[in-house]
Amino acid sequence: MSQTAIPTSGPTPQGVGVVSKKTGVRWVPVIGLEVHCQLKTETKLFCSCRYEFGASPNTRVCPVCTAQPGALPVLNREALALAVRVAVALGANVAPRTKFDRKNYFYCDLPKGYQISQFDQPFCTGGGLTLPSGKRVRLTRIHLEEDAGKAIHDRGDTTLVDLNRAGVPLIESVTEADMQTSDEAYEYLTSLKEILQYAGASDCDMEKGSLRCDVNVSVRPEGEPWRTKVELKNLNSFKNVKDAIEHEIERQIEAYESGDKSKFPVQETRLYDATTQTTRTMRSKEDAHDYRYFPEPDLVPFHVEPAFVELQRTMLPELADARRARYQRDFGLSAYDAGVLTGSRALADFFEMVVKLSGNAKETANWITNGVLANLSDPTIAAKTVDELPFRPHDLAELVQLVTDRTIHNNVGRTVLRAMFETGKSARQIVKEQGLEQVSDEGQLEKWCREALVGKDKVIADVKAGKTKAVAALMGPVMKASKGSANPQLVQEILLRIIQTEM
Amino acid sequence: MTQTEVDIVKKTATLARLELGEAEIAKFGEQFGRILEAFQKLSKLDVSGVEPMTGATALSDVLRDDRAKPSLERERALSNGPKHDGEYFIVPKTIGGDA
Amino acid sequence: MSGFADYAKLDATALRDAVVSKRTTAAAVVEAALARIAALDPRLCAFSSVLAESARERAKELDFALARGEPAGALCGVPFALKSNMCLEGVEAHCGSKILAGYRPPYTAPFVQRLLDEGAIVVGTTHMDEFAMGSSGENSAYAVAKNPWDPARTPGGSSSGSCAAVAARMVTFSLGSDTGGSVRQPAALCGIVGFKPTYGRVTRYGLVAFGSSLDQVSPFTRSCRDMELVMSVISGADEHDSTCLPHPPIDPDRSDSVRGLRLGVPKEYFAGGLDADVRARVEAAIQQLVALGATTVPIELPHTEYAIPTYYVVATAEASSNLARYDGIRYGVRKPGDGSLQGMIAATREAGFGPEVKRRILLGTYVLSSGYYDAWYVRALKVRRLIRNDFDAAFERVDLIVCPTSPTAAFELGEKSDDPVAMYLSDVMTVPTSLAGLPAVSVPCGKVSQGGKALPVGLQIIGPSLADARVLRAARVFETATKHQSELYALDLSALEGAAR
Ligand SMILES: [Mg+2]
Ligand SMILES: [Zn+2]
């Protein structure tokens, strides 16, 4: 059931929408999102089973989440805490009193024949978020509910039911119909995901089912009242959401412009098919369910005290927006780098820990945005995320220091970082073991320089003619001979001195 | 028994997933009418301003700690299932669903 | 091995003493119970299953433990029975329904575990109205239990088998469940003690739900002191049930007197529909309490007449949802239907549920469905509040309320089974207390003669919320002074022995 409020009319921002080539009408899309996010608790919402993505089927179940006769739910304190934390992060109003309701329907993945959800007293209302574009998207409400199990339809001529997911805690957030483009919906999802991840409330990983999104779309000619909305389901990635909205807007405009009333959009749920990039009818309003919501008699009401809300506020880390601003202001980073470093809370936290130890924010930022992230995206490296790094913040800080104090050359640093990824050893240990310390011994450097000068008459002539930059051509052979350990500045000085004084 | 009662019974039975036969519908329709009639007195009572009593206790805020306990062994979880393959419960092929 | 000869003469308190003082053994007690079940149950049909092997096994363990000098539990060696809507791991709990035929719960209810931990021995599970929906036991899909006082009559319901099992002294106590009177009414009709505690005193975890905001595990015992004993074991906080009260277990009241207690007598419970003989016994009982030092106060519970419709709206609404899980997927019996998932679910439910259950699911679904929710369900919740308010007002003036448990003595099997409205009305005296969530006991208060049979009558004593111990104390004082309990032991069951069903 869609809870997105659709008013009958509203102001149209200038220049929004699609102008029909056929009729010249400006069609304004109206978009609202319903997002289910899995809360990062140890156990399920109403029982003590530990859910784990990918666990063997029906091994994370108990009498409660398989709906054995006689079993009863008890609410997970941490789920309520995380939910309130999200509400605070989104600037929403936490209700002082909240309760649960039963939503009754029959399906093979719903063990009790009802879902414990919240109907008329959700734990939070209002709030919203501001997209990077400056656009404000308001939230109608957020409520807590349990997830259903998983029905697997693609194995032979039966459906298989795995109840591991049944009872996993979800928060369902419902926006006002404030968005007008698929890009805004995409941005909204990205921002919401970022906030929930930073709040430590959810992984928001669509692939693991910890974030799911349904979309409500309608279109109307500019200035006219709002029209029939269509609900889109089965959207498995943010890109799917974007594509599905675009397709649906097109479909609806075409339908209206055909002039054939029988083709006009009807209130229905449509499933998106990513392979054909089209939607098809799942069920119409006529067979919409009568969910017979009523207060869950197996649970008692909950009072969320102001002190509890404040506690959750203090548990909330600095969010991405604030960090981006601070990185630019305090560390002098570019907006781009600040954006990359706040790509996940884990990355941003890692960055800040390394800065604290290295004392050099800019250099640290460089080593993370170029070195660390490049290695993480290298398929031959085992670690895929910051959480999986085989070394500690301390180790990277050491590398940054070795480079900045010129113990090793920048290029050597890259080799060392690679070795850190491969072996998990500290930077200093690798430098030592492989003898990569920068050589500043004048005698040794002079020897490499003299070898490099042999037969380079043209370069020598150029330098003598005042083109000192020509020595650059000799740097390569010296570095090669030294296996990259030569101190490049000294090498340059020595080369110039030899040419200018001895040749 | 009125047509309305039959319609109510049919519609309600669908909602409740009871596949009633014609004879049952007729019988329940008649009884339904009598029961609702006997219950009509409820609608005569003035309940304005009365707070609904949704539970029989004054308890609130009953919560549990987020600590895992062992789940059931799968064999026991599946053991009462009319049809399973040792890993999953098996039901007739179905697509779509609800959320 | 032969059974303990005095088995049928002793209540749980005395039986435990006999075992602990080694006048007999738990093994001999179990043999006596099994022998009595073998002799009487073919005629009475109280038991759905008899757990002879595990009972003998457990008795042996207890006897060894006693021999080793280990401390004895509060119910050491006492045999009991469970209503078959209660979960004991691996023991079939079919709830009187075809839909749960063969269902063996993968877990044990904490209230059952507590009894087992105190040395009580479970010897069987009992027949009941399907999903506890009924007032006569006739809605069982398996067998209809009979009243030991007259096997042509109902033992009451829905905890029919658990009640008959105690009344025929096959077990010393048993557990039933009381949603709208399903323990108190049969206790009255069979001449034993039945007690529904304050809602939340006993965990509901492991009791198969009928009406979640009404259901309470409620024991049957032969004596009031036994009731106090059993309640002290099964009541108390439980982390598995959000509606279970955090209070400690019910501690028996130390007092032996009702002196000074103000007893409210609600005029609505002595109005039309109350059998004249039943009324006379109950009024006599109240006079006996006055003679023991209590005083009576006429009171009014003006919303009593709304209790039946309110109850049937609330209980069926909850039941319609509670019974949605019986879909043929995770447990129970499955029927294929048209081969689709929804067709399978509908066919399973159609074949698995009996008529009364279907009737109540329909009614409950109806009152929750869109367009009727406010007019029926929400309105009933408001009237429920008014009924509770009646009691709260009364308990400002009185300590307890006394009234009949049932408007009639045991009626004949078949008498009301085809008239749901008449059957619903037999709960008229017990339902208001259930709606209000209050503690109430039914204690024997004499007999009436009907159709040439002597049939027991029950006095209902109702207390304010959490006054469970006071309710039980008054019942105990009454029982001790009046010796109605001894009538149970005078009941000659030899005519029923060995007879076929
Ligand atoms: Mg939802
Ligand atoms: Zn579980």
Side-chain angles (χ1 to χ4, degrees), chain C residues 34 37 41 44-52 54-55 79-96 102-105 112 121-128 140 142-143 145 159-165 170-171 173-176 501:
Chain C
L34 294 174
I37 292 168
D41 204 52
L44 292 175
C45 303
F47 284 88
S48 169
S49 70
V50 178
L51 308 168
S54 63
F80 74 104
L82 289 176
K83 189 173 179 178
S84 48
N85 60 353
M86 297 173 170
C87 294
L88 172 57
E89 190 182 333
V91 173
E92 185 183 14
H94 55 51
C95 298
Y103 173 67
R104 295 176 188 278
V112 175
I121 300 172
V122 59
V123 297
T125 60
T126 60
H127 286 302
M128 58 183 283
S140 168
Y142 297 92
S159 309
S160 48
S162 278
C163 183
M170 294 187 278
V171 284
F173 74 94
S174 66
L175 294 186
R501 277 169 199 248

Side-chain angles (χ1 to χ4, degrees), chain A residues 44 46-50 60-66 163 166-167, chain B residues 71:
Chain A
K44 295 185 183 181
F46 297 115
C47 69
S48 302
C49 291
R50 187 198 304 270
R60 304 305 173 103
V61 296
C62 73
V64 178
C65 56
T66 56
L163 296 179
Chain B
S71 292

Side-chain angles (χ1 to χ4, degrees), chain C residues 138-455:
Chain C
E138 290 164 288
N139 294 330
S140 168
Y142 297 92
V144 178
K146 316 292 188 296
N147 192 320
W149 295 81
D150 176 2
R153 291 174 191 264
T154 177
S158 66
S159 309
S160 48
S162 278
C163 183
V166 173
R169 290 163 280 156
M170 294 187 278
V171 284
T172 312
F173 74 94
S174 66
L175 294 186
S177 62
D178 191 314
T179 305
S182 284
V183 161
R184 287 163 288 159
Q185 180 251 21
L189 270 40
C190 289
I192 59 174
V193 184
F195 175 60
K196 183 196 90 71
T198 300
Y199 181 85
R201 284 317 283 261
V202 183
T203 176
R204 291 185 294 118
Y205 193 79
L207 168 66
V208 180
F210 159 18
S212 308
S213 74
L214 300 151
D215 295 341
Q216 272 296 284
V217 173
S218 304
F220 292 102
T221 60
R222 296 183 195 177
S223 68
C224 292
R225 63 175 186 172
D226 277 8
M227 187 60 78
E228 291 176 313
L229 176 61
V230 172
M231 284 311 301
S232 72
V233 172
I234 64 171
S235 61
D238 178 44
E239 60 179 6
H240 300 92
D241 176 3
S242 305
T243 63
C244 187
L245 295 165
H247 301 66
I250 297 168
D251 208 8
D253 213 322
R254 305 265 169 259
S255 168
D256 281 325
S257 161
V258 291
R259 194 160 298 281
L261 282 183
R262 297 163 298 167
L263 307 178
V265 183
K267 69 168 197 218
E268 292 81 3
Y269 285 67
F270 293 84
L274 176 60
D275 179 275
D277 293 337
V278 170
R279 177 183 187 135
R281 292 299 158 277
V282 171
E283 282 175 347
I286 294 170
Q287 284 319 304
Q288 283 167 311
L289 282 163
V290 170
L292 291 164
T295 56
T296 59
V297 182
I299 58 163
E300 286 178 22
L301 298 168
H303 293 95
T304 301
E305 61 170 309
Y306 301 101
I308 291 283
T310 302
Y311 171 80
Y312 278 92
V313 170
V314 172
T316 59
E318 292 178 358
S320 72
S321 177
N322 284 332
L323 271 58
R325 67 187 61 193
Y326 305 109
D327 56 11
I329 295 175
R330 295 159 310 283
Y331 36 71
V333 174
R334 175 186 294 192
K335 291 279 181 269
D338 65 7
S340 72
L341 172 73
Q342 298 297 348
M344 181 276 278
I345 295 174
T348 295
R349 293 164 65 78
E350 167 61 16
F353 291 137
E356 180 61 23
V357 171
K358 286 182 197 165
R359 202 151 37 226
R360 294 202 195 186
I361 289 175
L362 282 175
L363 186 57
T365 304
Y366 173 74
V367 299
L368 289 176
S369 59
S370 94
Y372 305 101
Y373 181 79
D374 288 319
W376 285 105
Y377 182 69
V378 175
R379 177 165 276 269
L381 294 184
K382 291 180 176 179
V383 181
R384 185 178 186 181
R385 171 81 59 195
L386 295 175
I387 290 168
R388 168 74 193 231
N389 290 349
D390 281 357
F391 281 105
D392 287 348
F395 283 121
E396 289 187 4
R397 298 170 54 217
V398 301
D399 302 304
L400 296 168
I401 292 170
V402 286
C403 59
T405 307
S406 164
T408 63
F411 47 92
E412 282 181 22
L413 290 166
E415 200 180 310
K416 302 181 185 178
S417 53
D418 220 34
D419 184 354
V421 176
M423 191 67 95
Y424 295 174
L425 286 172
S426 64
D427 300 332
V428 65
M429 312 256 167
T430 47
V431 151
T433 346
S434 297
L435 288 167
L438 303 178
V441 70
S442 180
V443 60
C445 68
K447 287 178 296 185
V448 295
S449 178
Q450 275 174 14
K453 300 278 183 179
L455 299 172

Side-chain angles (χ1 to χ4, degrees), chain A residues 372-436:
Chain A
V372 172
L373 291 182
N375 277 292
L376 286 176
S377 61
D378 181 338
T380 63
I381 291 290
K384 295 284 166 265
T385 67
V386 178
D387 301 307
E388 295 166 6
L389 287 177
F391 50 83
R392 300 160 302 157
H394 172 83
D395 300 321
L396 188 65
E398 199 174 78
L399 177 64
V400 171
Q401 277 168 341
L402 288 173
V403 173
T404 47
D405 70 13
R406 294 166 190 270
T407 307
I408 57 173
H409 182 254
N410 213 46
N411 290 337
V412 175
R414 288 176 192 279
T415 315
V416 172
L417 182 62
R418 179 76 183 188
M420 288 165 67
F421 267 97
E422 283 163 352
T423 65
K425 289 178 181 168
S426 80
R428 208 174 285 280
Q429 198 180 351
I430 292 165
V431 166
K432 204 170 151 198
E433 281 175 10
Q434 301 192 15
L436 296 174

Side-chain angles (χ1 to χ4, degrees), chain A residues 206 212-215 231-237 240-241 244 269-274 278 280 282:
Chain A
M206 261 189 150
R212 295 197 293 275
C213 176
D214 301 335
V215 184
E231 186 181 30
L232 305 178
K233 279 184 181 289
N234 198 32
L235 307 167
N236 300 322
S237 68
N240 272 356
V241 172
T269 300
R270 297 178 71 87
L271 287 179
Y272 180 68
D273 185 337
T278 55
R280 63 187 149 81
M282 178 184 160

Side-chain angles (χ1 to χ4, degrees), chain C residues 1-7 9-29 32 63 66-67 76-77 225:
Chain C
M1 121 159 259
S2 68
F4 176 46
D6 286 342
Y7 170 68
K9 294 182 194 147
L10 304 181
D11 69 355
T13 308
L15 195 58
R16 179 210 180 252
D17 281 350
V19 171
V20 172
S21 66
K22 307 211 170 98
R23 271 183 287 135
T24 185
T25 61
V29 168
D63 284 331
L66 284 173
C76 185
R225 63 175 186 172

